[in-house]
Amino acid sequence: MSQKQDYYKLLGITKGAQETEIKAAYRKAALKYHPDRNPGDKAAEEKFKELNEAYEVLGDSKKRQMYDQFGHAGVNGAQGGGASGFGGGGFSGFGGGFDADIFGDMFSDIFTGGSNRRTERNRGPQQGDDLQYQVNVNLSEVAFGTEKTIKINHTEKCNICNGSGAKKGSSPQTCPDCNGAGQVKFSRGFFSTVQTCPRCHGQGEVITNPCTKCSGKGTQNQAKNLKMKIPAGADTGVTLRLRGEGNAGMKGGQSGDLFVILNVINDTEFERRDANLYSQQNISFTQAAMGTEIGVPTIERKMAKMKIPAATQTETVFRLKDKGLPIMGTKRNGDQMVKVKIKVPKKFTKEQKSALITFAKTMGEEIDESRGKEGFIKKIFLK
Ligand SMILES: [Zn+2]
Ligand SMILES: [Zn+2]
């Protein structure tokens, strides 16, 4: 008792400190040294205990007065029982001059969320983590649906210890710190909190003789080739779930799932809009003028016949019914939209030029034939 540090010094404040100052100093220090934030740190634990003692006194005006007058001797009685007055009940035991709100915001995560939830999660079988992979597929693969093999890395149950983590012939032992409960009770000043056992991390048992293959984890990394079906008509963002192909569970827990997110690579020939495909097709001026039937490449890699009516204008869009992609979950298909472009040849022979001039004249276009003999049409004026 005589070794006790001055409460004001402990909180880093002066004797004349205001109530709010004391409170603020305590909050800051208590957070810093809280056992949940310093697992296994005995010095921090001790400091936390002292801080609580100091605040229990300085935070109460009557006790503070006694302390100011008589020092530790003046408030000794209050300290004798430690947390006895508040045992087990969490915050319900706080009384007197202590404001519950000091803990409400700052500590709520530590006391209500933190340790208890963690404790639960670690008990018993634990499901393995889900994994996520992205897989690139090309347009023709989704046009018909396909089977793809992807290479993944996940964890599997260790085949040496069968997931127990213990060396062959040994088995996990009940944790001596928590007697298998997975949690331990801490009493710090007026706090009494339940914490995840730092020794076994809530498992309730410890592996004294770990499996050499998995070092006690019970799981091992494993690369695996997985066959999966890419559904016809799937688009970027479509997610496929492969049950049980995530990471292995612990302590007999189920494996997680593997989520495969599709990314459909842009195609150079076809632009996709939902189930419709857009393509472009060059036709000659004569084809456009006279009308014809042409072959158009489709995603099926077969030519589809397409009629070009006479007097077709450039950039006219024709629809090839059902030549688009399958509409997922239906038996229907989208369409292929074909935009035709009239292509002008880059070179003409003499005969072609002369034919064009003849044609232009019949259209009533004014021709300047001054350089015609050089094979060069200087001007064509459209009326
Ligand atoms: Zn093992
Ligand atoms: Zn334990």
Side-chain angles (χ1 to χ4, degrees):
M1 243 184 297
S2 53
Q3 297 295 314
K4 269 189 201 292
Q5 208 187 331
D6 181 81
Y7 286 153
Y8 289 100
K9 267 192 193 155
L10 238 159
L11 290 175
I13 46 176
T14 58
K15 256 197 161 181
Q18 300 289 306
E19 248 178 79
T20 50
E21 229 182 303
I22 297 171
K23 199 192 257 190
Y26 167 68
R27 277 165 77 127
K28 203 176 151 197
L31 258 187
K32 186 174 166 191
Y33 292 104
H34 192 280
D36 257 7
R37 301 219 164 157
N38 304 276
D41 185 342
K42 292 276 177 220
E45 228 173 65
E46 198 47 47
K47 181 94 175 174
F48 185 68
K49 197 174 159 187
E50 287 169 1
L51 287 166
N52 286 330
E53 258 185 47
Y55 185 68
E56 192 181 6
V57 171
L58 298 187
D60 179 315
S61 57
K62 272 189 196 149
K63 286 180 189 164
R64 183 182 178 189
Q65 208 182 336
M66 293 290 281
Y67 178 73
D68 285 349
Q69 271 186 281
F70 306 107
H72 287 293
V75 290
N76 196 29
Q79 286 309 303
S84 60
F86 310 101
F91 297 117
S92 59
F94 289 124
F98 294 96
D99 299 328
D101 74 339
I102 196 170
F103 311 105
D105 50 351
M106 307 285 284
F107 288 109
S108 57
D109 59 331
I110 295 172
F111 287 98
T112 57
S115 38
N116 288 336
R117 219 184 296 135
R118 219 181 304 138
T119 301
E120 269 170 21
R121 201 172 55 204
N122 286 345
R123 301 284 297 151
Q126 280 172 61
Q127 189 171 340
D129 291 330
D130 292 335
L131 295 176
Q132 214 178 64
Y133 271 76
Q134 186 182 288
V135 167
N136 291 333
V137 287
N138 59 43
L139 204 54
S140 47
E141 284 176 314
V142 297
F144 304 101
T146 185
E147 203 173 66
K148 224 175 157 66
T149 303
I150 62 167
K151 195 172 182 173
I152 63 144
N153 285 296
H154 66 184
T155 61
E156 290 181 358
K157 200 160 53 166
C158 172
N159 56 0
I160 299 297
C161 62
N162 200 28
S164 76
K167 199 168 187 169
K168 257 204 156 133
S170 78
S171 54
Q173 304 294 308
T174 301
C175 173
D177 285 12
C178 62
N179 291 318
Q183 49 189 34
V184 282
K185 213 174 207 178
F186 277 90
S187 293
R188 297 282 164 265
F190 45 80
F191 288 98
S192 177
T193 68
V194 172
Q195 262 200 307
T196 300
C197 172
R199 176 140 181 190
C200 64
H201 306 288
Q203 300 286 344
E205 43 187 37
V206 285
I207 290 157
T208 43
N209 203 359
C211 165
T212 44
K213 171 132 193 210
C214 64
S215 316
K217 286 199 300 281
T219 59
Q220 56 185 356
N221 293 329
Q222 185 70 50
K224 189 175 181 182
N225 288 321
L226 271 182
K227 259 190 191 164
M228 56 179 304
K229 269 207 158 94
I230 310 290
D235 205 345
T236 293
V238 166
T239 304
L240 308 166
R241 180 186 203 157
L242 298 170
R243 286 192 188 274
E245 296 294 355
N247 280 337
M250 308 278 261
K251 302 186 82 179
Q254 281 187 320
S255 291
D257 296 332
L258 177 76
F259 291 89
V260 177
I261 303 167
L262 297 186
N263 176 47
V264 182
I265 304 161
N266 285 340
D267 192 89
T268 49
E269 204 170 343
F270 300 99
E271 189 193 323
R272 173 187 196 164
R273 285 182 218 161
D274 298 323
N276 290 339
L277 294 174
Y278 289 74
S279 66
Q280 201 165 293
Q281 187 68 41
N282 290 333
I283 55 172
S284 73
F285 169 74
T286 357
Q287 284 176 314
M290 315 283 286
T292 185
E293 193 176 80
I294 58 168
V296 176
T298 64
I299 192 75
E300 298 173 301
R301 302 296 161 202
K302 276 189 245 159
M303 292 300 221
K305 281 182 181 165
M306 189 173 88
K307 272 208 166 82
I308 308 285
T312 288
Q313 304 301 311
T314 193
E315 306 219 328
T316 302
V317 176
F318 295 97
R319 180 191 297 262
L320 291 174
K321 202 113 185 60
D322 302 330
K323 294 295 180 194
L325 298 171
I327 301 168
M328 236 170 77
T330 72
K331 289 205 154 57
R332 291 180 296 123
N333 268 54
D335 303 328
Q336 182 177 344
M337 316 296 266
V338 184
K339 187 192 265 186
V340 294
K341 285 217 161 173
I342 295 172
K343 186 114 177 159
V344 179
K346 290 199 169 116
K347 273 185 180 167
F348 294 97
T349 64
K350 245 183 178 172
E351 288 74 27
Q352 285 165 340
K353 277 176 204 159
S354 125
L356 282 171
I357 287 164
T358 311
F359 175 73
K361 278 179 181 164
T362 66
M363 296 300 285
E365 289 171 38
E366 195 181 315
I367 311 289
D368 178 351
E369 285 177 273
S370 56
R371 297 174 69 196
K373 59 177 189 308
E374 288 154 47
F376 186 78
I377 299 168
K378 203 175 173 190
K379 299 177 202 162
I380 292 181
F381 297 107
L382 278 175
K383 266 189 181 165

